[in-house]
Amino acid sequence: CVQSLGYPLIVKPANLGSSIGISKAEDVMGLKKALEIAFAFDKKVVIEKALQNFVECNCAVLGGGKQKLIATEIEEPIGWQNFLSFGDKYENGAKNMGDKKRMPADLSTAQRHCIQETAKKVFAVLGCSGVARVDFLLSQEGEIFVNELNAIPGSLSQYLFSYDLFEFDTLLDKLIEIALQEYEQQSGLQYTYDSQVLNNLGNIKK
């Protein structure tokens, strides 16, 4: 399977984010080391082909409850190679992250529309509610790949909404409205079911 993918490869824990435990493997020895790192954080890992010379694009989506899905303008992180580490995102580089984004991303009208519509589809298919940022990779050939989804608290993405939609206080108002609508919808559901099926378990012969 790995041979069919070909190097370089990206190896990461299946249930983590923020670039924790993620490595890029250029060969067999690098793959072994990357697997050791990833398995230190999760019992399940993801191995995928690493795109070369790709462009990353991020688009946030707001929706849920009775609200129509809204997709933001698209940003393009710039000025880095391979992938951003945890330190890049939250420690040493966090203060300068604003200088590492192109907003809006350098995309054609067709690419922008495709990414926004795909982001909304991913949000809906996964049953999301509130805010989530969907991250994409764009290959040199123009292929668009869904990379990952960052829900709250991973990303509130207020800066994407404030670009041309609404400011932070309005975003919070909309999130509260969605939460109340979701609560109203879920409060009408039944969470218990009366049954006598377990009453005779004590009479089962061993």
Side-chain angles (χ1 to χ4, degrees):
C1 180
V2 171
Q3 293 177 342
S4 65
L5 290 174
Y7 293 96
L9 297 167
I10 295 293
V11 182
K12 54 189 176 182
N15 297 297
L16 271 180
S18 299
S19 297
I20 298 174
I22 185 172
S23 305
K24 185 177 181 180
E26 302 283 354
D27 50 33
V28 175
M29 293 302 298
L31 177 59
K32 290 181 179 179
K33 183 177 180 179
L35 287 171
E36 290 178 1
I37 295 172
F39 275 122
F41 292 97
D42 199 345
K43 62 181 181 181
K44 181 180 180 181
V45 303
V46 175
I47 302 175
E48 56 192 12
K49 176 68 177 177
L51 296 181
Q52 303 284 24
N53 302 315
F54 62 86
V55 173
E56 181 177 357
C57 298
N58 305 327
C59 178
V61 179
L62 171 73
K66 300 177 183 178
Q67 304 295 311
K68 180 180 179 180
L69 297 184
I70 299 173
T72 66
E73 182 56 82
I74 301 163
E75 67 166 341
E76 176 187 344
I78 59 175
W80 54 277
Q81 301 294 324
N82 295 325
F83 57 86
L84 293 172
S85 68
F86 183 89
D88 292 329
K89 293 177 178 178
Y90 306 110
E91 298 174 343
N92 299 330
K95 295 180 180 180
N96 301 317
M97 283 301 290
D99 300 329
K100 296 183 179 182
K101 299 177 184 292
R102 182 181 288 121
M103 186 74 175
D106 185 15
L107 300 169
S108 68
T109 301
Q111 288 173 328
R112 177 173 284 100
H113 180 265
C114 180
I115 288 175
Q116 289 175 325
E117 290 303 307
T118 302
K120 289 192 287 187
K121 288 179 181 178
V122 170
F123 188 96
V125 167
L126 295 180
C128 297
S129 179
V131 165
R133 192 190 75 222
V134 187
D135 297 348
F136 296 84
L137 301 179
L138 180 64
S139 73
Q140 290 295 303
E141 295 75 29
E143 293 181 282
I144 296 173
F145 299 87
V146 177
N147 184 32
E148 64 177 354
L149 184 142
N150 297 273
I152 298 173
S155 178
L156 183 56
S157 305
Q158 95 283 347
Y159 62 97
L160 292 174
F161 289 95
S162 63
Y163 177 77
D164 62 353
L165 290 173
F166 31 77
E167 296 300 326
F168 183 57
D169 55 348
T170 303
L171 176 60
L172 289 182
D173 288 341
K174 290 183 178 295
L175 286 172
I176 292 172
E177 184 179 1
I178 289 171
L180 291 173
Q181 291 172 351
E182 290 279 356
Y183 175 78
E184 181 181 357
Q185 292 173 349
Q186 294 182 18
S187 63
L189 298 177
Q190 183 172 326
Y191 292 95
T192 61
Y193 181 76
D194 293 331
S195 173
Q196 305 300 317
V197 69
L198 300 179
N199 289 353
N200 296 322
L201 286 180
N203 298 325
I204 296 177
K205 294 182 179 180
K206 297 181 179 180

